[in-house]
Amino acid sequence: DVGANAGQFGRELRELGYAVRIVSFEPLSEAFAALRKAARGDSRWEVVRSAVGERSGTATIHVAGNSVSSSLLPMLDAHERYAPGSGYVATEDVPMETLEHLLGAHVREHERAYVKIDTQGYERRVLESAGRAVERISGLQLELSLVPLYEGEELLPEMLLWLRSLGFTLASLEPGYADPTSGRLLQADGVLFRDGAAR
């Protein structure tokens, strides 16, 4: 669970009856405190304070007014127009680790990894940091933008083509955030599986 924020995804999995191990990664100190509280008492839910990206070390993250829009990428004006109150209010230096390292540290040899990534435009960089370990991932769930919201992010069509080149096939596309005024869809959640892994 990359970009876990306060643990919303993990809580939803538990409410749906998912009882297997969860490992959640969240870099922001305030959100991580809420995540740790959400996972308290759940022996199969591990939480790690870390951003996930192209290097091991530290990174500077932009903190959004609504927390969930925080990103390692600069936010475009359009984002704040669509979501008033989401503008950046601070920065925070956070630990960063590569997905390759984290898969090696937290996924056991016999386990198949389902990786959810919600990193506000940084999804491709997260996956690129897996290197050859991307082959250990059987399923993916990513937030995909239909319009530019963060500087340098890849949009849905390009992301799906790139993911196909890695061997992932789109299984489901679920509407996400929409412009509250026009109803135009801005983001969707894509669920993908490595060819043959969903059978």
Side-chain angles (χ1 to χ4, degrees):
D1 177 10
V2 179
N5 197 249
Q8 298 93 318
F9 183 70
R11 286 198 304 268
E12 182 179 357
L13 287 179
R14 291 297 189 237
E15 289 166 4
L16 291 171
Y18 183 80
V20 187
R21 206 161 59 94
I22 301 170
V23 186
S24 294
F25 304 94
E26 170 55 42
L28 291 176
S29 55
E30 188 172 329
F32 181 74
L35 170 65
R36 187 164 48 191
K37 183 176 180 180
R40 189 176 298 152
D42 188 333
S43 63
R44 293 189 176 184
W45 188 356
E46 181 182 353
V47 299
V48 179
R49 185 174 176 229
S50 182
V52 182
E54 61 269 26
R55 65 183 180 278
S56 298
T58 60
T60 300
I61 192 167
H62 306 283
V63 183
N66 63 1
S67 180
V68 296
S69 296
S70 302
S71 178
L72 289 162
L73 298 177
M75 182 185 291
L76 297 177
D77 291 342
H79 188 297
E80 193 168 4
R81 247 190 350 263
Y82 292 129
S86 65
Y88 292 148
V89 295
T91 59
E92 186 175 340
D93 292 335
V94 298
M96 174 183 274
E97 195 48 84
T98 66
L99 187 56
E100 180 177 28
H101 173 84
L102 295 172
L103 287 169
H106 297 280
V107 179
R108 298 160 188 157
E109 286 298 324
H110 67 280
E111 292 178 322
R112 301 195 316 165
Y114 179 85
V115 179
K116 165 262 182 186
I117 308 173
D118 185 354
T119 51
Q120 304 303 312
Y122 208 70
E123 285 77 8
R124 176 160 179 164
R125 291 168 176 83
V126 170
L127 266 180
E128 286 176 334
S129 79
R132 296 188 64 180
V134 73
E135 296 173 4
R136 302 187 65 186
I137 300 173
S138 297
L140 287 170
Q141 182 170 334
L142 305 96
E143 187 175 68
L144 302 165
S145 290
L146 283 73
V147 299
L149 299 173
Y150 294 89
E151 185 178 311
E153 74 174 316
E154 295 252 6
L155 298 184
L156 184 148
E158 293 78 16
M159 281 292 291
L160 292 182
L161 282 173
W162 178 67
L163 291 166
R164 186 73 189 97
S165 76
L166 297 180
F168 293 98
T169 299
L170 184 67
S172 175
L173 197 59
E174 303 174 4
Y177 185 66
D179 179 354
T181 303
S182 68
R184 179 186 183 185
L185 186 63
L186 304 174
Q187 292 179 323
D189 279 347
V191 176
L192 305 95
F193 290 97
R194 186 168 292 285
D195 295 343
R199 290 195 287 271

